[in-house]
């Protein structure tokens, strides 16, 4: 807008172009009038220059008014203050409950926010953005209703979710475009934990930095960390059960991992309860920064859903001292194997090695049933938790729809194609360009060179206990092309996928590149084949159990249960466990390099005496916005210019309008 000052050239140019022209008239004997004419000439020059100056000032004042100048001096502190748009980003993650009661970090965050709002005056606006895992503003636009916004802040409570200050900064950057006052201030008020800042995501922060950098006027950004530098904390970071398939009347191991996020050693007592009844306690000693495990051997008296909870008592942050586990104890795990190449000799069939591995003894919870693949379309699949397609030759759309309904209901499907499998049938009926049942498209059969078998890639399996798969020699395998939304759980040494998974509804599908017999590899004769077979079945059978152990905020599989709070809930005869995000329990503060990064990205400062800041910034904001005064001056000068022009035009004599220039006759 200051470029409009160039308009002051117009009155000057017009003045130069319209200077009064004098007619030269030779006229003798008028020398006595020279003194009077000189006086009139000086008066006219003064009038013209004054009018030009007034017109210049009118245009200059209008241009300056449009630029909305703001003056901050000791003198203007007595005249008024600059209107301010205040943006508050408030951390309400569960780590802000540290301290408990009235002395919690969140209470300090709330009080600081209220004191900052109190520094505002009529005409100022305030916006509040909540910096949870899904950052959101409390209003749709900057609010002039300061008292109402204070009431909203008073009712705000911490949520059992992690902080996401990167997302909050993105929201604040987008919010800046809604601000209209000349002074923009952004305050990020947090407990100071480094986890929520995600400083490792530099590319995302650079995008946010670009938004803040191009914003005019440049906002003042301050980060207020209200938490103490040292905040020791104990937390349960994991609770799991082994084996993953729990059999009723058998013993299972429930293991909890407890982290010591402090600089001092701690002794803890962990108590495990099952279905609301305390079963056992274990003591543990944790060194600074150490994670320890406590293991309980628990017997489930009867099949069905069970609820487990581990408690380590109370400390300054109590929410992460209890963790929950929902599980099913099964009487049996029925598995149906559809054999595409049945044989009287089980170990020459497509299913013999797999069936033997799944049920090495009568005490095994897995109970496999083998049928001829031709009988599969007429077989009732409801009694079985997992279905295995072992080298099934052909597939059609009718059978594919039956299998889809089976998996979507929460069951598991294992597809192990071999030499009999027709790629065109599988791809057309089951894959359909990744939109259907099969995780990967069958491309072609690859064969290893003689005396150079392919092998499973080291450290490329999803379970550590399967590391010995590297010993197996593979002569032939299907080349797979995984579809969208799939997971490759294991690969060959040459990079080809070995095992690909996908979710479908409440169930899951696994697809191998090998048949589960010894026709293409010597895998079935290795001891690791037994745990491999069980892990694949467990991976499919526990999918429903995994969907019942969720983090706060994850989509709930049950309509009558929300995932807003941690705990164990019952739904449809099953238990649903909701747990906190354990990463939020690490309260380590921002390091100096991390602070430097945030300061560079946001142009932010980190005031140390944040408690004194509200009283200090109220003085900083004082000043005077001059645009109203400048507009008033421009209007006043326009009136003066009009009056002077009319007055002087009326007073001029005819001789002054066209005064001749006298030239003496000689």
């Amino acid at each position: 807008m200051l470029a409009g000052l160039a308009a002051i050239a117009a009155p000057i140019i017009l003045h130069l172009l319209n200077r009064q022209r004098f007619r030269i008239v030779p006229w003798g004997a008028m020398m006595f009038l020279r003194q009077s004419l000189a006086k009139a000439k000086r008066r006219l020059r003064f009038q013209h220059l004054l009018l030009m100056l007034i017109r210049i000032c009118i245009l200059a004042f209008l241009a300056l008014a449009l630029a909305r100048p703001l003056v901050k001096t000791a003198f203007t502190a007595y005249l008024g203050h600059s209107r301010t748009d205040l943006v508050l980003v408030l951390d309400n993650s569960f780590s802000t409950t540290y301290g408990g009661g009235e002395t919690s970090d969140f209470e300090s965050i709330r009080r600081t926010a209220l004191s900052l709002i109190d520094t505002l005056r009529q005409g100022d606006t305030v916006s509040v953005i909540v910096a949870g895992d899904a950052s959101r503003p409390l209003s749709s636009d900057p609010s002039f209703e300061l008292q109402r916004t204070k009431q909203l802040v008073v009712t705000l409570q911490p949520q059992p979710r992690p902080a996401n200050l990167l997302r909050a900064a993105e929201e604040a950057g987008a919010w800046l475009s809604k601000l209209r006052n000349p002074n923009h201030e952004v305050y990020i008020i947090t407990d100071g934990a480094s986890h929520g800042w995600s400083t490792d995501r530099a590319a995302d922060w650079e995008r946010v930095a670009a938004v803040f950098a191009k914003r005019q006027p440049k906002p003042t950004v301050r980060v207020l960390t209200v938490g103490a530098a040292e905040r020791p904390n104990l937390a349960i970071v994991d609770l799991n059960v082994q084996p993953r398939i729990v059999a009723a009347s058998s013993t299972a191991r429930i293991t909890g991992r407890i982290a010591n996020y402090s600089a001092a050693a701690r002794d803890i007592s962990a108590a495990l309860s099952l279905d609301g009844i305390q079963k056992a306690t274990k003591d543990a000693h944790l060194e600074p920064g150490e994670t320890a495990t406590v293991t309980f051997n628990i017997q489930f008296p009867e099949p069905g859903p069970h609820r487990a909870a581990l408690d380590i008592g109370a400390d300054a942050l109590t929410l992460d001292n209890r963790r929950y586990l929902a599980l099913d104890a099964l009487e049996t795990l029925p598995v149906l194997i559809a054999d595409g190449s049945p044989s009287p000799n089980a170990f020459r069939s497509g299913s013999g090695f797999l069936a033997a591995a799944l049920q090495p003894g009568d005490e095994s919870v897995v109970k496999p049933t083998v049928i001829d693949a031709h009988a599969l379309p007429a077989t009732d699949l409801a009694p079985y938790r997992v279905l295995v397609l072992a080298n099934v030759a052909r597939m059609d759309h009718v059978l594919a729809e039956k299998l889809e309904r089976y998996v979507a209901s929460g069951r598991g499907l294992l597809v192990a194609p071999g030499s009999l499998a027709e790629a065109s049938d599988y791809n057309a009926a089951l894959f359909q360009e990744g939109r259907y049942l099969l995780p990967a498209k069958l491309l072609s059969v690859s064969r290893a060179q003689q005396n150079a078998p392919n092998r499973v890639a080291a450290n490329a399996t999803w379970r550590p206990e399967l590391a010995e798969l590297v010993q197996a020699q593979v002569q032939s395998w299907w080349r797979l092309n995984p579809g969208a939304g799939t997971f490759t759980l294991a690969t060959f040494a040459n990079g080809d996928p070995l095992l690909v998974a996908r979710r479908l509804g409440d169930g899951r599908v696994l697809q191998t590149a090998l048949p589960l017999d010894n026709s293409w590899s010597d895998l079935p004769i290795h001891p690791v084949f037994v745990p491999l077979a069980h892990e694949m079945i467990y991976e499919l059978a526990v999918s429903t159990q995994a969907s019942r152990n969720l983090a706060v905020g994850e989509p709930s599989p049950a309509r009558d249960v929300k995932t807003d709070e941690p705990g164990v809930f019952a739904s449809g005869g099953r238990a649903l466990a909701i747990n906190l995000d354990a990463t939020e329990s690490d309260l380590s503060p921002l390091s100096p390099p991390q602070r430097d990064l945030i300061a560079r990205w946001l142009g932010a400062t980190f005031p140390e005496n944040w408690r004194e800041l509200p009283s200090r910034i109220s003085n900083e904001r004082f000043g005077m916005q001059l645009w109203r005064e400048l507009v008033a001056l421009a209007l006043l000068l326009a009136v003066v210019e009009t009056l002077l022009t009319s007055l002087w035009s009326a007073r001029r004599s005819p001789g002054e309008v066209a005064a001749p220039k006298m030239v003496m006759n000689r």
Side-chain angles (χ1 to χ4, degrees):
M1 290 300 178
L2 288 175
L5 288 173
I8 66 176
I12 300 173
I13 295 172
L14 291 175
H15 174 77
L16 296 176
L17 294 177
N18 293 282
R19 285 186 300 179
Q20 191 164 6
R21 299 290 191 267
F22 290 92
R23 291 182 295 112
I24 301 175
V25 179
W27 197 9
M30 296 299 292
M31 57 185 301
F32 298 104
L33 294 178
R34 285 190 173 189
Q35 185 176 358
S36 175
L37 292 174
K39 182 178 179 181
K41 181 178 180 181
R42 287 194 300 270
R43 185 174 70 251
L44 288 173
R45 183 181 294 114
F46 170 76
Q47 291 174 356
H48 291 170
L49 290 175
L50 181 59
L51 288 175
M52 181 183 69
L53 180 61
I54 291 174
R55 291 161 183 163
I56 288 173
C57 289
I58 291 173
L59 294 174
F61 289 163
L62 288 176
L64 289 172
L66 292 174
R68 299 174 70 92
L70 176 66
V71 178
K72 290 184 179 181
T73 66
F75 173 73
T76 57
Y78 297 99
L79 301 179
H81 84 290
S82 60
R83 288 191 175 178
T84 299
D85 291 318
L86 177 64
V87 180
L88 299 175
V89 178
L90 306 184
D91 181 359
N92 74 331
S93 59
F94 80 78
S95 67
T96 63
T97 63
Y98 189 90
E102 291 296 319
T103 60
S104 69
D105 289 338
F106 184 76
E107 189 61 31
S108 297
I109 291 173
R110 191 206 313 273
R111 290 174 179 173
T112 304
L114 294 175
S115 63
L116 288 171
I117 296 175
D118 284 337
T119 65
L120 300 177
R121 298 187 176 188
Q122 185 176 5
D124 297 338
T125 71
V126 61
S127 309
V128 179
I129 298 173
V130 180
D133 59 347
S135 298
R136 56 182 177 84
L138 294 186
S139 59
S140 58
D141 291 295
S143 176
F144 293 94
E145 301 180 43
L146 305 183
Q147 292 302 318
R148 181 176 179 275
T149 303
K150 288 179 65 176
Q151 293 174 358
L152 292 176
V153 173
V154 169
T155 60
L156 196 63
Q157 295 296 328
Q159 298 297 311
R161 303 190 181 200
N164 189 342
L165 292 163
L166 171 58
R167 180 69 188 89
E170 289 177 338
E171 184 70 34
W175 198 263
L176 292 176
S177 62
K178 298 185 177 183
L179 307 183
R180 295 294 178 263
N181 282 328
N183 189 32
H184 299 170
E185 298 178 4
V186 179
Y187 289 87
I188 302 174
I189 314 176
T190 173
D191 61 355
S194 63
H195 167 71
W197 288 95
S198 304
T199 52
D200 56 324
R201 297 172 58 181
D204 294 328
W205 274 110
E206 292 293 349
R207 251 190 333 268
V208 175
V211 174
F212 275 79
K214 70 181 181 182
R215 185 61 192 166
Q216 294 296 331
K218 188 172 179 60
T220 299
V221 183
R222 293 186 174 103
V223 180
L224 311 184
T225 57
V226 305
E230 292 292 334
R231 293 188 295 167
N233 183 41
L234 291 172
I236 305 174
V237 296
D238 188 34
L239 186 63
N240 63 75
V241 63
Q242 291 293 332
R244 291 190 290 164
I245 296 296
V246 177
S249 302
S250 66
T251 300
R253 297 186 309 278
I254 296 181
T255 302
R257 286 196 304 116
I258 305 166
N260 179 16
Y261 298 113
S262 65
R266 302 287 295 273
D267 292 313
I268 59 101
S269 179
L272 180 73
S273 59
L274 186 65
D275 299 327
I277 301 173
Q278 183 171 316
K279 291 294 185 180
T281 60
K282 288 287 183 71
D283 296 332
H285 177 79
L286 288 85
E287 292 295 328
E290 182 183 66
T291 299
T293 60
V294 288
T295 301
F296 303 86
N297 294 319
I298 299 296
Q299 189 172 38
F300 296 89
E302 58 185 18
H306 294 277
R307 309 182 311 275
L310 185 64
D311 198 317
I312 58 172
D315 61 4
L317 183 61
T318 59
L319 283 176
D320 56 8
N321 294 346
R322 189 173 179 85
R323 201 164 185 88
Y324 307 93
L325 178 66
L327 50 88
D328 279 339
L330 304 179
E331 188 169 2
T332 61
L333 176 57
V335 176
L336 180 64
I337 304 175
D339 193 340
S341 55
S343 171
N345 184 343
F347 294 103
R348 293 184 178 275
S349 68
S351 62
F353 286 98
L354 178 62
L358 292 177
Q359 192 177 15
D362 293 336
E363 70 281 358
S364 175
V365 66
V366 181
K367 304 297 182 184
T369 299
V370 180
I371 64 170
D372 191 317
H374 293 93
L376 184 59
T379 302
D380 181 12
L381 303 180
Y384 303 99
R385 291 284 295 270
V386 177
L387 170 63
V388 181
L389 303 182
N391 198 14
V392 175
R394 305 189 66 84
M395 195 63 56
D396 57 46
H397 289 280
V398 175
L399 180 56
E401 292 177 0
K402 180 178 180 178
L403 297 180
E404 181 189 19
R405 292 192 299 269
Y406 173 78
V407 174
S409 67
R411 310 304 175 90
L413 175 65
L414 174 59
V415 182
S419 58
L420 299 181
E422 292 287 344
S424 57
D425 286 354
Y426 273 70
N427 294 334
L430 298 182
F431 184 71
Q432 293 190 356
E433 299 304 324
R435 297 188 298 272
Y436 210 64
L437 191 63
L438 205 62
K441 185 176 184 179
L442 296 181
L443 299 179
S444 60
V445 176
S446 293
R447 305 189 187 279
Q449 296 181 359
Q450 191 174 7
N451 299 324
N454 199 359
R455 295 183 182 272
V456 178
N459 301 320
T461 59
W462 82 107
R463 306 295 296 178
E465 54 267 35
L466 302 179
E468 293 183 5
L469 281 172
V470 297
Q471 299 176 1
Q473 299 184 11
V474 180
Q475 304 298 333
S476 301
W477 65 96
W478 278 103
R479 290 182 56 245
L480 304 179
N481 183 20
T486 61
F487 311 91
T488 299
L489 304 182
T491 61
F492 290 111
N494 67 347
D496 287 349
L498 168 60
L499 187 60
V500 185
R502 69 161 298 182
R503 297 184 183 277
L504 180 65
D506 292 333
R508 198 166 186 180
V509 183
L510 292 182
Q511 179 181 358
T512 71
L514 295 173
L516 300 176
D517 55 29
N518 61 352
S519 60
W520 284 9
S521 72
D522 63 355
L523 177 60
I525 67 173
H526 287 274
V528 73
F529 183 72
V530 174
L532 172 65
H534 282 83
E535 287 300 328
M536 289 191 295
I537 298 301
Y538 292 169
E539 189 76 17
L540 295 167
V542 300
S543 59
T544 54
Q545 178 168 305
S547 66
R548 295 200 305 277
N549 288 274
L550 308 172
V552 171
E554 284 192 280
S556 173
R559 294 182 179 179
D560 57 337
V561 176
K562 295 183 178 180
T563 61
D564 297 332
E565 298 287 340
V568 180
F569 308 93
S571 174
R574 293 183 175 181
L576 185 67
I578 313 298
N579 285 299
L580 299 169
D581 185 339
T583 56
E584 182 79 2
S585 297
D586 185 355
L587 305 179
S588 301
L590 286 166
S591 65
Q594 288 175 317
R595 285 194 173 203
D596 292 342
L597 286 173
I598 296 168
R600 178 173 65 83
W601 287 326
L602 300 180
T605 58
F606 289 78
E608 295 298 332
N609 298 324
W610 54 269
R611 289 183 177 87
E612 303 174 3
L613 188 61
S615 60
R616 191 166 74 245
I617 63 171
S618 62
N619 294 328
E620 292 179 1
R621 281 198 205 113
F622 277 102
M624 186 168 62
Q625 299 179 78
L626 299 181
W627 69 272
R628 293 180 183 85
E629 290 76 6
L630 291 170
V631 170
L633 285 173
L635 293 175
L636 178 61
L637 290 177
V639 173
V640 171
E641 190 269 348
T642 302
L643 293 175
L644 290 177
T645 301
S646 300
L647 179 63
W648 289 339
S649 297
R651 288 184 175 181
R652 285 178 182 171
S653 64
E656 290 177 335
V657 175
K661 181 176 181 179
M662 308 308 297
V663 179
M664 295 295 297
N665 290 329
R666 296 184 182 274

